[in-house]
Amino acid sequence: MTGTTEALGGSAAVDNAARSVTRPFYVYAVLTNTLFQRGVFILFLQQRGFSAEQVALLQTLLYLVSGLAELPTGVIADRIGRRASIVIGQMLIAGCLLGQVAFSNYWVFLALFIGQGVGMACVSGSDTALLYDLLVRRGATASYVKIKSRFTMLGTVTSGAAIVLGGQLQQISWGVVYVGSAACLALGPVRS
């Protein structure tokens, strides 16, 4: 009977340890996916006077840079730490979003989209790796798949809601859309 009680007590301790890690990650998932500009940024770029070809080049550059920067930013994250990589990436993306609302020169936008791609690469994988590392430290890795699924679901649902809200906020101003997104990104890095 003592073994059963210890097992139940151990299970409760593991659940508490997992909760202490997951709460900050769930908040992070919500904040970092509250990107109001995501659904309306093409309209924003067109209002800035960019052609369809220029918009396509910006998008291509963003994802190309993000993909190419995955390896070097992963190495950097291993050296400086996953949390530091996340903070650097989120701040870089937030700064680039603020730059997009502040400037209208296409060459500046090219640089901003390159910076945003590097920021995306800094965050990519670091967040889930940090989640796993923290669960390992607390002896709660058995919950990883369930927690990661909820983390992904929260991010996806938040992203969809932010797209709808972005269309509404755009009626107020582009500044509200971009500054709001940047503020959420700045508040988002994990504190656990």
Side-chain angles (χ1 to χ4, degrees), residues 101-186:
V101 82
F103 299 101
S104 58
N105 181 286
Y106 187 70
W107 296 106
V108 172
F109 267 75
L110 282 172
L112 291 170
F113 271 65
I114 289 170
Q116 188 174 343
V118 171
M120 290 167 53
C122 285
V123 174
S124 175
S126 290
D127 48 13
T128 53
L130 178 60
L131 171 62
Y132 188 78
D133 291 347
L134 292 172
L135 289 171
V136 166
R137 283 188 216 147
R138 288 170 174 84
T141 55
S143 303
Y144 176 73
V145 172
K146 180 175 75 172
I147 293 166
K148 185 176 181 298
S149 295
R150 289 180 182 166
F151 173 81
T152 302
M153 182 268 311
L154 275 171
T156 303
V157 169
T158 300
S159 181
I163 288 170
V164 171
L165 285 171
Q168 301 304 311
L169 292 173
Q170 186 281 322
Q171 295 175 16
I172 299 169
S173 80
W174 285 113
V176 171
V177 171
Y178 278 81
V179 172
S181 295
C184 288
L185 286 168

Side-chain angles (χ1 to χ4, degrees), residues 36-91:
F36 302 116
Q37 88 290 350
R38 188 175 280 166
V40 292
F41 79 96
I42 291 176
L43 298 174
F44 172 72
L45 295 174
Q46 288 176 335
Q47 284 188 356
R48 285 282 198 242
F50 300 150
S51 69
E53 293 82 15
Q54 289 174 315
V55 171
L57 180 60
L58 288 172
Q59 269 301 91
T60 301
L61 193 59
L62 175 71
Y63 288 103
L64 183 64
V65 167
S66 179
L68 291 173
E70 284 282 334
L71 183 60
T73 57
V75 170
I76 291 168
D78 288 341
R79 292 189 192 267
I80 66 170
R82 294 170 193 354
R83 189 178 318 239
S85 181
I86 292 167
V87 170
I88 290 167
Q90 295 298 103
M91 295 305 120

Side-chain angles (χ1 to χ4, degrees), residues 90-101:
Q90 295 298 103
M91 295 305 120
L92 188 54
I93 296 167
C96 289
L97 292 177
L98 293 174
Q100 289 171 31
V101 82

